[in-house]
Amino acid sequence: MTDIASSAVVDESFPAELPALLDELDTIVDKLQNAGFTRLSDAEVDQAGVRIERAIARLTYTGNQQIVEADQRDLPRKSGYRSVIDYMKFRLRMAYPGKRLKQTRATATYPDFITGQPLEPTHPALAEAFAGGRVGPAHVHAVLDVLDQIPHAIDHDIKVAAERQMAEIAVDHTPADITALGARLLAHLDPDGTLADDTDRKRRRNLSVHRQRADGTAKMTATLTPELLARVTVLLAVWATPGMNNPDDPHSPHGSIEDADPDAVAAAAERDDRTPAQLNHDAFNALLKAVFEDGLLGKSHRGLPTQLIIKADLTDLRREAGFATTATGTLIPIPELIDMAADAQPWLAVFKDATAVPLYFGRGKRLATREQRLVSFARPDGENCSTPGCDLAAAHVEMHHAQLDWAAGGLTDITDLAPACPKHNRMVSNQPGGYTTRMVREGPDEGRCAWRLNAEPGAPPNPERINRRPDIPRRFAEHLQHVRTEIHGPDTESGDQPRLQMREVIDLRGATPVELVVASALLNHAYGHSE
């Protein structure tokens, strides 16, 4: 086997040549992009694909060595980033920096802490195949997922042999095959499951709620410890029985079957055509609904009430289409929102008159009030943390004095506050690696918070950035309008209404006297018993 550590050692002149080699690489890539494949034979097109994919894998391996070098030189901190992950995500613009760093630590060559000499990679056989372009990043991650499942009690020599076996498998198989064949290998290593201990079980425990799909649904996956599995099975036994907790049957009993009328359950079961998986889903939903109704989540979370807080566009409500957004970042179809509101205690926010609820405190208060947090969430850009690239939902953020820090004389006024997650809120400072923020006072981004990552003195300054996540619906509407104009010509009678800008939300004082009376009454009802 080729020694990856020794093969990575090159002559002293190589670093000086690297910029020129990268220039040459750019030139070659330009030529490849412009050459095209139309004049090649079938065999040549086929071989071109194989060689290009091999080159991509080899370049990825080489890029991982750059990550090691940058980390060793502390370049992330010098550039103003708090971690190598942030450096990879924002400076190197990597799509999945966490997976890439795991891949790097498993296959790259790191220097010895004391001597500085290159050490053998953690998984040398896999690293050799990766460096040669015989496996790609997806193959590497599939192998690592298998190796991570080997119990701690397995002897070291067996683990080394298993790594070589999985690297061999990866060269000739797809990532899906690697997972399947790896399961067979794991079964061979521990056929009775007796080597896995409590440490292994705790290490593997997880529960992940994945991102929402286009239709609003989301996938949840979990690996449960025996303790949680026991509780879940009891829950499903008494809440997921046919006939129970059926959202499509108004006469279906809710809660535990132990508390339900047996005749009603039997009658509902006759009408119940749900699958076992759907029964489990509805039982889990009914349990969480009961938890909300019983107040077991507490009275508030980060200044917001622990209830479903939802905002929707008035136009969408009128046409009963589109999506509403919860304070936790979940999208709910408007028809389902209407059904939910039928038996909910809604939080109603009316912003016709900014004086109906106190939103400007100056130096009188340091912490934002619940009303200010609700107004912030209701703004077009208030659904998540205002830091660029952060998607933490409004239910988990703090209110940041964005224009001027409170300690420096900042004001607790709604026009100076912006949502910021705890991590980024504590990163605001004048020091390198911290953030400098300000509220944009004019232009299309008026009322938004701009963030700038501070670099070390003498380093190139980082640009000022704004979180563009909330702009997606508006920008799509603009693109759609442009496309329709290109196809059909200008539409002078478009019924589309633009979403409210921040200054309109908090400073609309042109309401009629009747509207002001209604607004004040509704707000007093919503907030009158909040103390």
Side-chain angles (χ1 to χ4, degrees), residues 259-326:
D259 301 325
D261 180 359
D263 294 335
V265 174
E270 290 292 330
R271 304 185 297 270
D272 199 338
D273 59 355
R274 293 174 294 170
T275 66
Q278 290 171 334
L279 287 169
N280 293 343
H281 172 280
D282 295 341
F284 190 53
N285 185 43
L287 175 67
L288 290 180
K289 183 178 179 182
V291 169
F292 272 79
E293 292 173 349
D294 289 345
L296 297 180
L297 297 181
K299 295 183 179 180
S300 67
H301 173 69
R302 295 195 178 278
L304 287 172
T306 52
Q307 300 178 12
L308 282 175
I309 305 174
I310 306 171
K311 73 175 181 180
D313 187 271
L314 184 58
T315 303
D316 291 340
L317 285 173
R318 285 172 175 166
R319 62 191 183 97
E320 297 188 13
F323 286 89
T325 306
T326 72

Side-chain angles (χ1 to χ4, degrees), residues 214-225:
D215 64 354
T217 61
K219 186 176 181 180
M220 184 167 69
T221 58
T223 299
L224 309 183
T225 60

